[in-house]
C-alpha cells in the first residue's frame, strides 16, 4: 500500500527538506510508523498519548481522519495523505 | 414583510435556493443558503451583532467604547457597520496578506486597522490582538473564536431558518473558520434530528499560512466542538475556484471563493449519496458574494493562473 505523504514546512527537518515522501501502510498508524522508520522522529511530532497531536491534522484524500477512524482510518494504495498544522486560517 | 425600521433589522431570514443544475440526482438535491443577503453582505453579520448585543447586555460594552477584534475581513466589516450605527470605535487586527477591498471597506466605515505579519495568517492576528488587549484594558475584545454568542447566533437563527424552510434536510455543509456556524447550526439540527450529517469544509492555503515556528503555536478555536461534526474536508484553492466558477456558470450565483470550497464538499457528499442510491437534501452555506475578491483575479483567466495568484493569500 504505497501512499504519497505531503509534509508541512515545519516538519521537513525530518525529511531532508522534502515536501512529499512515499510511505507504506494500510492504516494511518501504519503509515506513520513506516514514515518514522524512514524519517526518524516524525512519529513523536505527530502522535501524543496514543492519538494525533492536538495541533496536527491528517487528511486522507482531503478528508480529516479524525472523523473516519483516527489513527485506525484505512489507507489504500495510491491514496494521498496530507499532514498540516492546525492554524486559525483565513478571513474571519 | 419587506419594510424595516433600520438596516440592523434586516439581519437574517435569508433565502434558501434550490440548485437544479448542480444537484447530482433528482433525489439528491442541493440547496444554497444565501447569507450574502445580510446587511453588510456576509454571514458574519449574525455573530457580529450577537456578540455586540451580548456584551451590551453584560455591561462590558458601553457608549463610546472601542471594540478590538482579530479579523481579516467579514467579521470586521460587520462590526464596523454596527459600531458606526451604535457609536463605538473599532480596531481590527488583520494579516497584511488580505484583499485590498476589505481594507477599503473597513476604512470607509471608520475602523482603524492594525496589520499583523502575513506569515502564520490569522494565528498572528489573534496573537497581536491578545497583546493589544493587554496593553489597552479599556478596549473590549469580542473574540469571535471563543465567544459563545457567535455559535449561539447560528443556533438561534441560521439553524431554525434552515429547518423551517426545508424540514427534510439531511446534510448541512459550511466553511470551518471560527467554527461558530457549524457548531451552532450543527448543534441545533442534531437536537432536532440526530441523523443530520454536519459537514465541514476547511480551506487549504499555500504554505506561507502554515508557517508556524513550532507545532505548539497551532490554534484550534475555543468554540470548536468536534462532536458536532460528522465529516471534515480540506479543500485547496484550485477546487475552491473551480466550484466558485461552476456555481456562477450553472446557477447564476456570484459567490466568494470560500463558498467554492463549501460547494466542493457538498458535491462530494452528494455524489457519494447518489452513487449509493440514497436520497439527500443538502443545504450548504454561501458566506458572501464575490465582489470583495475581484482584485484577487479569481474570476478571470485559467483556473491554474487564478490558483497561482491565490497562493499565499487568505481566500476564506
Amino acid at each position: 500500500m504505497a501512499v504519497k505523504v505531503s509534509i508541512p514546512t515545519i516538519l521537513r527537518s525530518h525529511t531532508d527538506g522534502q515536501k512529499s515522501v512515499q510511505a507504506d501502510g494500510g492504516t494511518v498508524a501504519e503509515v506513520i510508523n513506516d514514515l518514522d522508520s524512514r524519517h526518524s522522529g516524525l512519529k513523536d511530532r505527530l502522535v501524543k498519548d496514543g492519538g494525533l497531536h492536538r495541533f496536527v491534522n491528517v487528511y486522507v484524500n482531503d478528508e480529516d481522519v479524525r472523523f473516519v477512524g483516527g489513527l485506525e482510518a484505512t489507507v489504500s494504495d495510491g491514496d494521498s495523505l496530507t499532514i498540516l498544522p492546525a492554524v486559525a486560517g483565513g478571513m474571519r | 414583510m419587506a419594510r424595516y425600521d433600520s438596516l440592523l433589522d434586516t439581519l437574517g431570514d435569508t433565502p434558501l435556493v434550490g440548485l437544479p443544475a448542480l444537484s447530482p440526482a433528482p433525489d439528491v438535491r442541493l440547496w444554497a443558503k444565501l447569507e450574502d443577503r445580510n446587511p453588510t453582505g456576509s454571514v458574519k453579520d449574525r455573530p457580529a451583532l450577537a456578540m455586540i448585543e451580548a456584551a451590551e447586555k453584560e455591561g462590558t460594552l458601553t457608549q463610546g467604547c472601542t471594540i478590538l477584534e482579530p479579523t481579516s475581513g467579514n467579521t470586521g466589516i460587520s462590526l464596523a457597520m454596527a459600531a458606526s450605527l451604535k457609536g463605538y470605535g473599532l480596531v481590527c487586527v488583520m494579516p497584511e496578506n488580505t484583499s485590498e477591498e476589505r481594507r477599503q471597506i473597513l476604512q470607509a466605515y471608520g475602523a482603524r486597522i492594525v496589520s499583523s505579519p502575513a506569515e502564520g495568517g490569522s494565528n498572528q492576528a489573534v496573537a497581536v490582538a491578545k497583546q493589544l488587549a493587554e496593553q489597552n484594558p479599556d478596549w473590549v475584545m469580542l473574540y469571535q473564536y471563543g465567544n459563545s454568542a457567535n455559535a449561539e447566533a447560528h443556533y438561534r437563527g441560521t439553524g431554525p431558518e434552515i429547518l423551517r424552510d426545508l424540514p427534510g434536510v439531511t446534510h448541512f455543509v459550511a466553511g470551518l473558520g471560527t467554527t461558530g456556524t457549524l457548531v451552532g447550526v450543527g448543534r441545533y439540527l442534531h437536537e432536532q434530528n440526530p441523523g443530520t450529517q454536519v459537514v465541514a469544509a476547511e480551506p487549504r492555503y499555500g504554505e506561507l499560512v502554515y508557517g508556524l515556528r513550532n507545532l505548539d503555536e497551532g490554534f484550534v478555536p475555543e468554540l470548536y466542538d468536534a462532536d458536532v461534526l460528522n465529516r471534515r474536508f480540506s479543500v485547496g484553492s484550485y477546487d475552491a475556484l473551480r466550484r466558485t466558477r461552476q456555481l456562477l456558470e450553472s446557477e447564476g450565483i456570484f459567490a466568494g471563493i470560500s463558498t467554492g470550497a463549501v460547494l466542493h464538499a457538498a458535491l462530494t457528499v452528494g455524489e457519494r449519496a447518489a452513487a449509493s442510491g440514497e436520497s439527500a437534501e443538502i443545504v450548504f452555506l454561501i458566506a458572501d458574494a464575490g465582489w470583495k475578491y475581484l482584485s484577487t483575479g479569481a474570476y478571470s483567466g485559467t483556473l491554474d493562473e487564478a490558483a497561482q495568484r491565490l497562493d499565499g493569500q487568505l481566500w476564506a
Side-chain angles (χ1 to χ4, degrees):
Chain A
M1 301 289 185
V3 297
K4 189 185 129 196
V5 183
S6 83
I7 306 289
T9 323
I10 193 170
L11 296 177
R12 284 184 203 153
S13 52
H14 297 273
T15 61
D16 297 324
Q18 290 179 88
K19 280 183 176 189
S20 144
V21 296
Q22 291 288 322
D24 288 313
T27 64
V28 172
E30 287 171 17
V31 170
I32 290 176
N33 282 334
D34 186 56
L35 274 178
D36 197 61
S37 71
R38 302 171 195 224
H39 311 283
S40 176
L42 255 184
K43 185 177 177 177
D44 262 4
R45 308 286 304 274
L46 301 176
V47 178
K48 253 200 171 125
D49 306 321
L52 280 175
H53 184 295
R54 181 161 177 254
F55 294 135
V56 169
N57 293 328
V58 175
Y59 308 86
V60 172
N61 300 335
D62 296 342
E63 180 152 17
D64 188 329
V65 301
R66 284 194 174 92
F67 298 91
V68 287
L71 289 172
E72 295 315 309
T74 54
V75 176
S76 307
D77 204 33
D79 279 354
S80 72
L81 195 138
T82 304
I83 301 169
L84 285 177
V87 296
M91 298 178 168
R92 308 296 161 199
Chain B
M1 166 92 156
R3 195 180 94 181
Y4 303 89
D5 288 334
S6 82
L7 182 66
L8 293 178
D9 297 305
T10 66
L11 180 81
D13 210 5
T14 53
L16 186 67
V17 172
L19 304 185
L22 283 177
S23 292
D27 57 350
V28 177
R29 293 194 291 179
L30 282 181
W31 301 86
K33 178 88 170 146
L34 303 187
E35 288 297 307
D36 59 306
R37 309 284 184 93
N38 272 305
T40 70
S42 90
V43 65
K44 293 301 185 183
D45 287 334
R46 294 182 190 258
L49 272 174
M51 290 191 298
I52 286 180
E53 281 165 8
E56 286 171 340
K57 217 178 233 174
E58 285 163 14
T60 48
L61 191 59
T62 52
Q63 201 64 36
C65 269
T66 293
I67 297 170
L68 166 70
E69 188 65 16
T71 165
S72 47
N74 283 333
T75 304
I77 293 166
S78 301
L79 288 173
M81 179 273 293
S84 73
L85 294 184
K86 286 167 169 281
Y88 303 123
L90 175 67
V91 176
C92 291
V93 183
M94 61 195 279
E96 57 196 1
N97 51 338
T98 48
S99 78
E100 180 57 30
E101 287 91 329
R102 288 162 189 262
R103 275 164 202 277
Q104 288 190 19
I105 297 169
L106 283 169
Q107 279 159 349
Y109 272 118
R112 267 174 63 197
I113 298 172
V114 175
S115 289
S116 60
E119 288 86 0
S122 294
N123 272 37
Q124 282 302 313
V126 170
V128 169
K130 284 181 174 168
Q131 271 170 19
L132 281 173
E134 264 174 44
Q135 292 158 4
N136 301 276
D138 55 324
W139 290 0
V140 179
M141 179 153 80
L142 296 171
Y143 193 56
Q144 54 179 333
Y145 296 93
N147 190 325
S148 59
N150 173 353
E152 190 70 18
H154 295 290
Y155 180 87
R156 283 187 284 105
T158 324
E161 287 171 27
I162 290 169
L163 196 64
R164 177 199 67 196
D165 295 336
L166 189 68
V169 56
T170 59
H171 295 72
F172 174 70
V173 192
L176 191 73
T178 70
T179 75
T181 308
L182 279 156
V183 168
V185 174
R187 210 169 262 160
Y188 177 81
L189 292 178
H190 276 162
E191 277 174 20
Q192 301 299 313
N193 178 3
T196 313
Q197 294 286 300
V198 177
V199 180
E202 180 188 11
R204 184 158 80 240
Y205 301 105
E207 289 184 359
L208 186 69
V209 177
Y210 301 96
L212 309 178
R213 274 169 301 181
N214 64 68
L215 271 182
D216 294 318
E217 277 185 357
F219 180 76
V220 174
E222 289 84 343
L223 284 180
Y224 183 58
D225 179 359
D227 291 342
V228 180
L229 301 187
N230 298 97
R231 316 178 68 164
R232 175 170 164 176
F233 293 97
S234 166
V235 185
S237 52
Y238 183 89
D239 284 325
L241 284 169
R242 179 162 68 94
R243 301 303 195 182
T244 305
R245 292 187 183 188
Q246 203 178 355
L247 185 61
L248 193 153
E249 286 155 16
S250 326
E251 302 282 0
I253 296 174
F254 175 50
I257 308 164
S258 75
T259 295
V262 176
L263 174 60
H264 185 69
L267 281 169
T268 303
V269 295
E271 278 156 12
R272 284 186 202 174
S276 54
E278 293 161 25
S279 57
E281 300 281 3
I282 302 164
V283 172
F284 74 98
L285 192 135
I286 292 192
D288 63 3
W291 306 106
K292 293 188 294 281
Y293 310 93
L294 286 171
S295 71
T296 66
Y299 306 89
S300 55
T302 68
L303 278 173
D304 280 321
E305 287 165 3
Q308 203 96 58
R309 284 193 290 263
L310 276 188
D311 192 53
Q313 298 260 338
L314 294 169
W315 47 263

